[in-house]
Amino acid sequence: MYFDLTDPDEQKGAYSKLVGGITPRPIAWISTLSADGVANIAPYSFFTVASVNPPVLSVTQVNPSDNKNKDTLNNLLATQECVINVVSHELVEQMNQSCASFPSQVSEFAAVSIAATASKLVKPLSVAAAKVRYECRLREVITISAQPAGGQMMLLDIVGVYIDDSVLVDGYIDSALLNTVGKMGGNDFATTQALFSLARPEL
């Protein structure tokens, strides 16, 4: 089948075609601090590296149907800082529980019993058990569309990286030891344990 997404009627079903085909997607478990000091954490799967020099991450909020910003984006705009906690398999249940629609004044760290630790260079808390954590400051927010289901891209300058010694081999992160999970379509997730290698071709 072919879907013409220039047709407004076809655009209505675009979400499932995107999240079902662009898989697996890495998960940014983003911890922020509200202007009132409430520690928030929520997962986002529209997430990738935007630049290495300078080091910048990209996370996109798909606007909710009520067209209100999620707490993460509101907090970032207010306080300009966050931590991207990488989700290893042992954290997946708590990560999933943290995506519930808690009121803004409720901390998901407390509600889901997520053990936290202080970050080094930013004020938001880090997930203590996360083996890789990126401490970030907000660079800019690019509004692709302010409509419901529109995208707001958060570009984040990385100011510090925590890597647990248990996942380092010869100074590099070992993906098998990190054991991250990826987001598939619907309620499905993928593990990253079935690895294979291919050498880059030389011309």
Side-chain angles (χ1 to χ4, degrees):
M1 297 183 71
Y2 184 84
F3 301 92
D4 180 357
L5 295 188
T6 66
D7 181 339
D9 289 332
E10 293 286 6
Q11 286 182 16
K12 296 175 183 177
Y15 182 81
S16 64
K17 297 174 181 64
L18 295 173
V19 300
I22 302 171
T23 56
R25 297 185 306 280
I27 300 166
W29 202 14
I30 310 178
S31 49
T32 55
L33 199 64
S34 75
D36 296 327
V38 178
N40 173 268
I41 187 166
Y44 289 77
S45 68
F46 289 14
F47 163 54
T48 192
V49 176
S51 171
V52 175
N53 184 21
V56 179
L57 299 178
S58 168
V59 181
T60 297
Q61 169 190 277
V62 174
N63 299 329
S65 58
D66 62 7
N67 213 27
K68 294 180 180 178
N69 285 340
K70 297 179 181 179
D71 290 341
T72 298
L73 181 51
N74 282 335
N75 294 348
L76 262 174
L77 291 170
T79 63
Q80 303 286 298
E81 295 181 335
C82 71
V83 180
I84 304 293
N85 303 275
V86 173
V87 181
S88 297
H89 194 269
E90 63 268 24
L91 294 171
V92 72
E93 288 290 344
Q94 286 182 307
M95 177 276 296
N96 189 51
Q97 291 298 315
S98 74
C99 72
S101 298
F102 293 103
S104 298
Q105 66 272 21
V106 173
S107 169
E108 288 84 358
F109 279 95
V112 187
S113 300
I114 300 166
T117 188
S119 303
K120 297 290 186 182
L121 298 178
V122 298
K123 291 180 181 177
L125 297 172
S126 290
V127 175
K131 296 182 175 70
V132 176
R133 309 191 287 260
Y134 299 97
E135 297 182 5
C136 303
R137 295 195 178 105
L138 180 63
R139 168 179 282 252
E140 65 177 310
V141 176
I142 299 172
T143 299
I144 299 167
S145 169
Q147 300 300 313
Q152 296 196 68
M153 181 184 295
M154 300 165 267
L155 295 178
L156 307 168
D157 288 315
I158 304 171
V159 297
V161 184
Y162 167 84
I163 304 172
D164 194 276
D165 289 344
S166 67
V167 299
L168 284 172
V169 176
D170 296 329
Y172 293 92
I173 297 172
D174 186 297
S175 56
L177 295 174
L178 184 56
N179 194 17
T180 54
V181 295
K183 188 70 176 71
M184 306 295 285
N187 292 329
D188 294 335
F189 292 83
T191 63
T192 53
Q193 287 296 294
L195 306 178
F196 62 92
S197 298
L198 292 174
R200 288 175 179 259
E202 296 183 9
L203 298 180

